[in-house]
Amino acid sequence: MVILLAVALAASPTLAQMRWDRRVLIVAAPSPQDPELAEQRRILDNWTTKRDERDLTVVEIVGDQVRGAGDNAPALRRKFRLPPTFTAILIGKDGGENLRSAHPFPAVVLERTIDAMPMRRAGRR
């Protein structure tokens, strides 16, 4: 079981490998019990179809664990200057930071922001 988990984690692409192909929503929280993490998950669970249409990958950094990418937590925390509290960051396909918040993003904010991105507008033509 441990070997399968290690293989699955190793198979996840890194954020650098997702560049130009995927938008990334980084959701960082100090623990799995964080109420804002639970709220962001609830929002995203109800937004699955629209999330997939927008090429959005969710990367969670909870404590020292990363889900959704092959990067390690300390490296991502340094790179994005993540505080020890809840933080959500929307990264465009070009790798640039588009939104940052200390609170969960409502689905409408994610939708409007992504739909206004040049690569999204170009893809809908």
Side-chain angles (χ1 to χ4, degrees), residues 13-19 24 26 59 69-71 76 79-80 91:
T14 64
L15 264 63
Q17 292 168 327
M18 290 184 222
R19 191 172 185 178
V24 177
I26 296 174
V59 174
D71 304 90
L76 290 176
K79 179 177 181 173
F80 293 101
I91 307 293

Side-chain angles (χ1 to χ4, degrees), residues 35 37 67 83 93 98:
L37 173 63
R67 191 173 91 195
K93 286 186 176 183
N98 289 277

Side-chain angles (χ1 to χ4, degrees), residues 24-27 36 39-44 47 56 86-91 97-111 113:
V24 177
L25 177 63
I26 296 174
V27 178
E36 294 195 292
E39 176 64 10
Q40 188 70 77
R41 284 176 173 167
R42 186 193 62 73
I43 291 167
L44 293 170
W47 196 61
L56 184 68
F86 179 89
T87 304
I89 304 172
L90 178 62
I91 307 293
E97 186 176 314
N98 289 277
L99 288 176
R100 179 183 284 252
S101 178
H103 303 287
F105 288 124
V108 69
V109 170
L110 291 170
E111 198 168 317
T113 303

Side-chain angles (χ1 to χ4, degrees), residues 1-12:
M1 178 91 105
V2 172
I3 293 172
L4 291 176
L5 179 60
V7 170
L9 291 174
S12 294

Side-chain angles (χ1 to χ4, degrees), residues 5 9 27-34 37 41 59-78 82-85:
L5 179 60
L9 291 174
V27 178
S31 76
Q33 294 79 26
D34 186 276
L37 173 63
R41 284 176 173 167
V59 174
E60 287 188 359
I61 307 164
V62 181
D64 291 332
Q65 301 297 313
V66 176
R67 191 173 91 195
D71 304 90
N72 70 53
L76 290 176
R77 287 188 181 282
R78 275 191 309 276
L82 295 170
T85 56

